[in-house]
Amino acid sequence: MTTNAAGPGREFRERELHLNLFIYPGGHHEAAWRHSSSDPDRLLDIRFYQDLARSAEAVTFDGVFFADGPALADNVRYASRFRLEPFTWLSAIAAATERTGLIGTASTTYSEPYNLARLFASLDHLSGGRAGWNIVTTGAPQAAQNFGLDAHPVHAERYERARDFLEAVTKLWDSWEDEALVADQRSGLFADTDRIHTVDHEGPLLKVRGPLNIPRSPQGRPVYVQAGSSEDGRAFAARYAEAIFTAHQTLRSGQDFYADIKKRAARLGRDPGQLLVLPGISPFIASTEAEARRLHEDFNELTQPEYSLELLHRLLGIRLTPQQLDGPVPRELIETQGERGNGSRFQLVLDIVEREQPTVRQLLHRLAGARGHRVFAGTPEQVADQIQQWYEQGAADGFNVMPPWLPGGFDLFADHVVPILRERGLFRSAYTGRTLREHYGLARPASRYAPQGAAVSVA
């Protein structure tokens, strides 16, 4: 494995590249379901997803990741943008795998701490310590009415609740000490109730008594994963996150984010090496660069303007028509003030508009591949070069691999890119642990009720 600084102020140590498979129904390109290599009839077949997870495990990926949202995505008329409830799906995947991590999205805005703590604790026990929680505050305003609200809470309010929520669930996951479950058949003592604690959480927005009705899970608590890169998101991630999913179009942008988030964590007294930065990459892979570019163009030709323009409206707030596709993106119509302007994905797309001055069609094709995550077309060696450059030049600790289509897009990565990464000494050839924390090299947190200075294990 390569040796590099893990972050500002951290001693040089051995690093290990981390890779997750980000599973989206059909693939991440919006037209994936239309491509001849796709099989949309399998998109609701759990065996399809179990096979994908087994493929990820076969090449020792750290985890598989399922995104979720509590509302129907805009314009599902033209793309496979439904949502599979991740706990059900990941539980079925847990039964079909042994090592790969299981990361699912759950909203702090539209969930309650006690219910969510139970779900993730159950998944962690079920999988033998492989659960990760992708913490989101939910950006889709249409979710509000699904939960009896007249309006979606504004950005700052959602993050205030998220902080309160994290404090509450962390206390719940600690409410059973590791030694509380005794199960001594001879004495008849099942649980040491002196080691089970009410949490009596009273925050600015949430009140939870506890304790949790499930013993402490194998990892102590699931891995905290976070995906927001706004100012509020960065502050939240620096305090709580152990892995960050982020989107960047350029190496410089990735480096700036990486340095910023590690410094923020260090200022809060955290070890920056215990916070992983994992950008998304969606690779089109072929034996030559020209063939990879043609493959990318084939997918873009299958996009439908009605869907793409709706996505652009959601991201930038501007309504355009098919007649404007080959004209410049009207920068003067993009309003940077207000709620939308707080979003990190808004800023990413705005940066593309200002830096590259694309036509509307060109911008839509940029976004079609992975909704703002980096799309790269090239040979396996070129894809590996990109990953190595970002990893070694301070922009990433690893990547969320976002195949444009499934399963073929991932098969190409697994069969042709992973061997190159291994030859270069960047990626493992075998698992050395069983839990997601061990894969990520993260400490198992000691319970807040453990004696002061109690040791924590680090993979």
Side-chain angles (χ1 to χ4, degrees), residues 20 22 24 64-69 83 86-87 90 102-109 111 116 120 123 130-138 159 165-166 173 222-228 236-237 241-246 278 345 373 400 436 440:
N20 298 313
F22 185 168
Y24 219 64
V64 297
F65 167 46
F66 269 82
D68 189 32
R83 298 292 196 182
F87 289 101
L90 289 172
L102 307 166
I103 305 165
T105 298
S107 171
T108 59
T109 304
S111 304
L116 194 66
F120 270 112
L123 180 62
R130 295 187 279 144
W133 174 22
N134 180 43
I135 305 159
V136 299
T137 66
T138 302
Y159 271 96
F165 200 108
L166 258 289
W173 283 322
V223 173
Y224 287 169
V225 181
Q226 189 263 357
F236 183 87
E242 296 169 297
I244 303 174
F245 295 168
T246 183
L278 307 170
R345 200 58 55 90
H373 288 276
N400 274 320
L436 181 57
Y440 279 166

Side-chain angles (χ1 to χ4, degrees), residues 159-414:
Y159 271 96
E160 182 183 12
R161 178 179 168 91
R163 289 187 289 271
D164 201 2
F165 200 108
L166 258 289
E167 296 293 338
V169 295
T170 302
K171 291 174 184 176
L172 286 168
W173 283 322
D174 280 353
S175 61
W176 286 61
E177 297 182 38
D178 288 318
E179 299 80 9
L181 182 60
V182 179
D184 184 345
Q185 292 176 310
R186 185 170 184 176
S187 70
L189 180 65
F190 184 76
D192 182 350
T193 52
D194 291 336
R195 295 179 181 270
I196 302 174
H197 308 274
T198 58
V199 301
D200 294 321
H201 174 81
E202 291 193 31
L205 298 171
L206 297 166
K207 187 175 181 179
V208 183
R209 181 179 182 274
L212 197 63
N213 57 358
I214 300 173
R216 198 160 193 251
S217 72
Q219 295 187 108
R221 62 172 184 254
V223 173
Y224 287 169
V225 181
Q226 189 263 357
S229 298
S230 65
E231 179 57 33
D232 284 332
R234 293 183 189 215
F236 183 87
R239 182 171 297 278
Y240 298 107
E242 296 169 297
I244 303 174
F245 295 168
T246 183
H248 297 283
Q249 290 289 318
T250 67
L251 176 63
R252 174 57 62 85
S253 173
Q255 290 169 326
D256 290 346
F257 177 84
Y258 187 96
D260 178 60
I261 206 71
K262 299 276 185 171
K263 288 177 182 176
R264 289 176 186 242
R267 285 198 298 266
L268 291 169
R270 296 186 61 192
D271 176 357
Q274 293 285 291
L275 194 164
L276 306 178
V277 177
L278 307 170
I281 185 170
S282 187
F284 286 87
I285 304 167
S287 58
T288 68
E289 183 178 348
E291 290 175 355
R293 291 185 182 278
R294 281 197 298 272
L295 179 63
H296 188 195
E297 290 168 3
D298 289 344
F299 275 78
N300 285 340
E301 288 174 1
L302 294 174
T303 59
Q304 301 181 82
E306 292 88 346
Y307 177 89
S308 303
L309 291 170
E310 183 62 34
L311 174 64
L312 190 64
H313 172 253
R314 180 167 62 83
L315 290 172
L316 293 183
I318 56 175
R319 285 281 186 194
L320 302 178
T321 67
Q323 290 70 39
Q324 296 172 278
L325 286 173
D326 294 309
V329 177
R331 171 63 182 85
E332 68 278 4
L333 298 182
I334 303 173
E335 176 59 57
T336 60
Q337 303 301 314
E339 177 72 6
R340 182 178 279 106
N342 290 324
S344 57
R345 200 58 55 90
F346 171 90
Q347 189 60 54
L348 182 148
V349 179
L350 182 61
D351 288 346
I352 295 174
V353 172
E354 295 181 339
R355 183 177 63 249
E356 302 177 14
Q357 299 181 353
T359 66
V360 174
R361 190 186 303 275
Q362 288 170 337
L363 179 61
L364 296 181
H365 285 173
R366 287 289 298 276
L367 300 176
R371 306 169 306 286
H373 288 276
R374 190 155 189 267
V375 177
F376 182 81
T379 66
E381 290 79 9
Q382 289 173 322
V383 174
D385 288 345
Q386 290 288 305
I387 289 172
Q388 184 170 1
Q389 181 186 36
W390 284 51
Y391 176 66
E392 292 186 342
Q393 295 186 19
D397 295 305
F399 287 84
N400 274 320
V401 179
M402 305 168 65
W405 80 101
L406 291 168
F410 181 67
D411 291 341
L412 287 169
F413 189 95

Side-chain angles (χ1 to χ4, degrees), residues 401-445:
V401 179
M402 305 168 65
W405 80 101
L406 291 168
F410 181 67
D411 291 341
L412 287 169
F413 189 95
D415 292 343
H416 300 286
V417 179
V418 169
I420 296 171
L421 297 174
R422 286 174 172 164
E423 288 170 6
R424 297 179 183 181
L426 296 170
F427 190 58
R428 68 172 76 90
S429 58
Y431 288 113
T432 56
R434 303 195 68 87
T435 72
L436 181 57
R437 288 187 175 278
E438 289 172 331
H439 301 338
Y440 279 166
L442 299 173
R444 183 183 188 272

